[in-house]
Amino acid sequence: MISTGRDSWDGTPKFTFTHGYVAAGVQVPAQQGMFPAFWLMPASRVAPPELDVAEFLSTSHNVQMTVHWKGASGKDQFQAGTFGPQDFPSGYHVFALDWEADSLTWLVDGVARYWVTDPSKIPNVPMEILFDLAVGVPIQPPASVNSAQMKVDWVRVWQH
C-alpha cells in the first residue's frame, strides 16, 4: 500500500484534500486473486465515508467505482457503478474522480463512466489518497503471486 503519507497508522497524513479532481495512470495485474484499488479515505481514518476511484474485485477487466457514506442508521451505505470489460492489464489507463460538493463523476481514460448527484451521499471531509494491491481477495492467489504488480505511473490532484 502507498498513500499520501503517514509516518504511522495514527499519524497525520502529509497531503489531504476536500473536493477536486484526482487522477492517476495505473496498470493493474492480470492475475486472478488480486484486488488492486485506488481510493480516498478520510484523514481521520474513520470510514465511511470513502471514495473508491477504481477497484478491481474478482476481475482485472471491469473497474468498480464506489461512494460509501454513513446512512441514517449509522451503517455503511454504498452506491457503485462498473465499466468494462476492457483489457486493463494490457497497459496504463487513467482513472479519475471529479469530486464536487454536489456531484461525483468517475472517468476512465478521459471519458465519464459513472455519476452520483445526490449531495447526501457525497463526503465533505478531508481525504488522503491510497493505492493498494490486496492479495488473496476474493480467491486464493495464484502461484504467480510474487510477480503480480500494480504499477502507478503518476498521480495528480487539482483542488476546486
Side-chain angles (χ1 to χ4, degrees):
M1 174 186 287
I2 58 172
S3 75
T4 48
R6 291 175 184 261
D7 293 329
S8 68
W9 178 259
D10 296 324
T12 302
K14 295 177 181 165
F15 176 80
T16 63
F17 71 105
T18 307
H19 306 131
Y21 186 88
V22 59
V26 178
Q27 183 177 16
V28 298
Q31 291 97 327
Q32 295 297 308
M34 303 294 157
F35 182 18
F38 165 23
W39 53 296
L40 308 178
M41 174 186 229
S44 67
R45 291 265 165 116
V46 176
E50 178 182 314
L51 294 169
D52 301 324
V53 181
E55 292 185 314
F56 295 84
L57 182 62
S58 301
T59 177
S60 59
H61 295 281
N62 292 291
V63 61
Q64 183 170 308
M65 304 152 283
T66 308
V67 57
H68 297 261
W69 69 94
K70 191 177 288 191
S73 67
K75 293 188 179 184
D76 182 17
Q77 304 286 311
F78 70 92
Q79 183 176 331
T82 58
F83 172 68
Q86 295 289 312
D87 190 10
F88 290 115
S90 69
Y92 284 92
H93 294 271
V94 177
F95 300 100
L97 174 65
D98 190 8
W99 173 21
E100 302 280 348
D102 60 355
S103 67
L104 298 166
T105 304
W106 284 262
L107 300 95
V108 178
D109 293 327
V111 178
R113 298 295 182 182
Y114 185 61
W115 303 263
V116 171
T117 57
D118 179 348
S120 70
K121 299 175 181 177
I122 297 170
N124 190 29
V125 298
M127 299 248 190
E128 66 179 294
I129 303 168
L130 298 103
F131 293 88
D132 68 88
L133 178 58
V135 177
V137 179
I139 61 173
Q140 291 297 314
S144 62
V145 66
N146 292 335
S147 66
Q149 295 182 347
M150 175 183 179
K151 298 177 183 178
V152 179
D153 186 41
W154 54 267
V155 182
R156 293 186 184 93
V157 174
W158 294 266
Q159 290 187 264
H160 296 296

